[in-house]
Amino acid sequence: MTRITVAKGDGIGPEIMDATLAILKAAGAALEIDEIEVGEKVYLSGNPAGISPESWDVIRRNKIFLKAPITTPQGGGYKSLNVTTRKFLGLYANVRPCKSLHPFVATKHPEMDLVIVRENEEDLYAGIEHQQTDEVVQCLKLISRPGCEKIIRYAFEYAKQQNRKKVTCFTKDNIMKQTDGLFHQVFNEIALEYPEIENEHWIIDIGAAKMADTPEAFDVIVMPNLYGDILSDVGAQIAGSVGLAGSANIGEECSMFEAIHGSAPRRAGQNLANPSGLLQGAVMMLNHIGQSAVAEKIQNAWLKTLEDGIHTYDIFKEGSSVEKVGTREFAEAVIARLGSKPALLKPVDYAERPPLNLPKYTRKAPQPKELLGVDVFVHWRGEHAEDLAQRLQLLEQNGVSLQMITNRGIKVWPEGFKETFCTDHWRCRFHAPSGTVLNPAVIPQLLEKALALELEVVKTENLYAFNGKPAFSLGQGQ
């Protein structure tokens, strides 16, 4: 018997959770349930987190969390509980299978059977944003070596456990050479440890186009958080419907299972919603906690239900579907088929598989690190970079000189183009003399001079070399 935490959520959440729990009970899942309330009601009660401390205690004690979709109210500074839960509980791996159910669910890709493994904690989803000038806001993209190693190793271990043959990496490291470049670098390093599994890398734009056009060319795809969020929805939709897809959020101690779709408040309370996405999340949960026989029974009954043409409104199609049913009736149809297997769709076989080998991350020895310069970001409403450069050159001292000015990443001084449009947010790079290391004390001295000259500095970024290699981006045009 496994004790789990359940949250029925908002919108269609209670309906699809009730349907899912009914199927789990009928199939003989050995579960004890602690129900908590999260989401819109909790937010609107004055709790900006959308969850109480007592509910956190229940989730952390039980380790396994089955969650229906929730609604985050607009405005008011409310944070996404999904993102918060993934980060607080260290749920670093988001696993989303995307498999065609042709010909019983309409799709243009009948051979599609891929799994997207999405990094779940960092990237732009760190949510670190600032408005720095009248015209410019920023969002920090954070990619860490531990985050890369954990998710990429998970992808290869998952492929190995599930007898899948290839792992593909998607990044945009032709542009983001430091952040996405690290993800790609770690992928190449870890791929060497799995010679029996084919590996490949695609730039995200052409990779996404290829996945949308020829998804059967992929098996397991691993990628940073934002790309994975977008493409897992694309994958689910082109496989048949986002409403059919579930996901697992896996951490070293806790795990959360859910549908990938939202709370759909317009459909709430009408007995219309398809519970399949949450049910698929529950099947992944059962496999995760070692109740694979029950998971297999439910999955095969679900496939048989779809094969028999018993469909909710979202996938019902005149001429191919047999009966349009509501949420409760769909659950009853699955329950009636427990013990049955599909005839045309491939039945699942969740035979016991070896556990994933996921060692804890071991922090590596620090690399030699040298300070070479500093980027000083200035809020300045002038139009000509040459005018700004003349003022900034007054800050130069101890051999530290102004090397360049960029605006939105493009170099505008020296040798900028008059056609380049500039905002009021300027990156001004000061660099130590070639071959020397910058004394950190110079940076506050630069800032003091800037203040005296009434130059508004909104932030600074130190420029380091690691192992003698510069570890910062150049301005475009360099």
Side-chain angles (χ1 to χ4, degrees):
M1 189 71 69
T2 301
R3 183 175 289 275
I4 69 170
T5 306
V6 165
K8 293 188 176 181
D10 303 309
I12 61 172
E15 298 167 79
I16 63 174
M17 181 61 81
D18 287 343
T20 296
L21 293 177
I23 295 168
L24 294 179
K25 181 178 179 180
L31 302 172
E32 292 183 359
I33 292 172
D34 291 326
E35 185 176 340
I36 62 172
E37 186 167 26
V38 300
E40 189 171 36
K41 288 182 182 178
V42 181
Y43 283 120
L44 297 179
S45 71
N47 184 334
I51 183 172
S52 70
E54 294 76 19
S55 293
W56 275 127
D57 291 341
V58 175
I59 294 170
R60 295 172 69 194
R61 181 176 67 243
N62 292 344
K63 308 295 185 186
I64 305 297
F65 185 23
L66 180 63
K67 183 183 73 63
I70 63 170
T71 299
T72 303
Q74 295 295 315
Y78 300 111
K79 294 183 178 180
S80 166
L81 182 57
N82 284 341
V83 174
T84 301
T85 302
R86 291 164 183 163
K87 290 185 177 183
F88 274 4
L89 299 181
L91 309 182
Y92 66 90
N94 186 279
V95 184
R96 297 188 175 186
C98 303
K99 181 177 173 59
S100 165
L101 298 165
H102 175 81
F104 305 102
V105 176
T107 177
K108 298 176 181 178
H109 306 287
E111 304 300 320
M112 180 177 181
D113 182 8
L114 62 85
V115 178
I116 291 176
V117 178
R118 163 194 171 193
E119 196 287 318
N120 218 19
E121 296 181 282
E122 47 189 42
D123 192 13
L124 292 166
Y125 281 44
I128 303 174
E129 297 184 290
H130 307 89
Q131 180 168 356
Q132 298 192 316
T133 70
D134 293 317
E135 297 177 344
V136 174
V137 294
Q138 73 168 18
C139 181
L140 296 183
K141 180 182 176 82
L142 299 179
I143 300 288
S144 71
R145 176 167 277 275
C148 294
E149 288 197 12
K150 285 164 51 175
I151 193 62
I152 292 166
R153 188 172 300 282
Y154 187 96
F156 277 96
E157 281 292 321
Y158 180 90
K160 183 178 178 180
Q161 183 199 54
Q162 301 295 323
N163 297 316
R164 288 180 174 263
K165 306 303 181 186
K166 182 171 69 172
V167 178
T168 303
C169 174
F170 283 178
T171 72
K172 189 67 176 174
D173 65 332
N174 59 328
I175 301 298
M176 288 168 281
K177 301 180 186 298
Q178 296 290 316
T179 49
D180 283 27
L182 177 61
F183 198 93
H184 188 181
Q185 175 188 333
V186 173
F187 178 81
N188 289 342
E189 294 170 3
I190 291 179
L192 295 175
E193 301 177 30
Y194 299 86
E196 73 280 14
I197 299 175
E198 183 184 351
N199 69 85
E200 64 178 4
H201 172 266
W202 290 77
I203 297 298
I204 182 68
D205 43 14
I206 188 60
K210 179 75 172 176
M211 191 197 85
D213 177 70
T214 319
E216 61 271 17
F218 298 100
D219 199 348
V220 175
I221 310 176
V222 63
M223 61 189 99
N225 201 339
L226 178 62
Y227 309 147
D229 189 7
I230 296 168
L231 288 190
S232 56
D233 275 14
V234 172
Q237 185 64 29
I238 66 175
S241 169
V242 171
L244 300 177
S247 73
N249 300 267
I250 307 298
E252 293 178 353
E253 295 191 25
C254 300
S255 297
M256 178 174 70
F257 303 86
E258 58 187 344
I260 75 168
H261 59 74
S263 59
R266 290 181 299 174
R267 302 296 186 190
Q270 301 172 51
N271 192 38
L272 289 172
N274 190 339
S276 293
L278 186 58
L279 182 63
Q280 290 303 290
V283 167
M284 297 173 81
M285 177 191 73
L286 292 171
N287 277 318
H288 182 75
I289 63 178
Q291 297 190 31
S292 293
V294 180
E296 183 176 309
K297 183 192 298 185
I298 292 173
Q299 187 70 357
N300 282 324
W302 178 73
L303 292 171
K304 177 65 172 168
T305 303
L306 296 176
E307 188 177 271
D308 287 348
I310 312 301
H311 296 164
T312 48
Y313 81 97
D314 55 317
I315 59 172
F316 183 86
K317 187 175 181 181
E318 292 286 352
S320 57
S321 299
V322 173
E323 183 181 358
K324 184 188 292 186
V325 295
T327 311
R328 291 189 298 272
E329 293 76 20
F330 185 84
E332 291 165 0
V334 174
I335 291 170
R337 288 162 176 78
L338 290 170
S340 300
K341 294 183 178 181
L344 295 177
L345 293 172
K346 184 180 179 180
V348 299
D349 178 6
Y350 296 143
E352 186 174 343
R353 294 182 171 96
L356 276 65
N357 178 24
L358 298 168
K360 284 188 176 291
Y361 176 79
T362 301
R363 181 161 280 125
K364 296 170 175 56
Q367 305 172 59
K369 176 181 173 183
E370 298 174 324
L371 180 63
L372 303 183
V374 61
D375 279 344
V376 177
F377 291 79
V378 173
H379 182 185
W380 186 66
R381 296 183 61 84
E383 296 184 1
H384 303 296
E386 186 68 40
D387 296 339
L388 179 59
Q390 289 178 10
R391 298 182 66 185
L392 290 166
Q393 285 170 328
L394 297 175
L395 309 182
E396 296 178 343
Q397 57 186 301
N398 301 323
V400 175
S401 60
L402 180 66
Q403 184 183 71
M404 72 170 181
I405 302 174
T406 70
N407 196 288
R408 295 188 297 172
I410 189 73
K411 188 181 74 169
V412 294
W413 182 91
E415 300 174 351
F417 289 5
K418 66 180 181 61
E419 293 87 355
T420 303
F421 178 79
C422 294
T423 68
D424 59 359
H425 185 269
W426 307 78
R427 178 178 62 157
C428 311
R429 174 160 295 176
F430 289 86
H431 210 281
S434 178
T436 66
V437 175
L438 181 66
N439 183 342
V442 171
I443 297 175
Q445 293 170 7
L446 284 173
L447 299 182
E448 286 180 7
K449 282 192 171 183
L451 185 62
L453 292 171
E454 298 184 339
L455 285 169
E456 184 183 355
V457 176
V458 294
K459 75 163 188 171
T460 63
E461 291 285 352
N462 291 358
L463 307 176
Y464 292 106
F466 288 83
N467 279 333
K469 181 180 178 181
F472 47 88
S473 61
L474 300 175
Q476 294 180 21
Q478 285 293 99

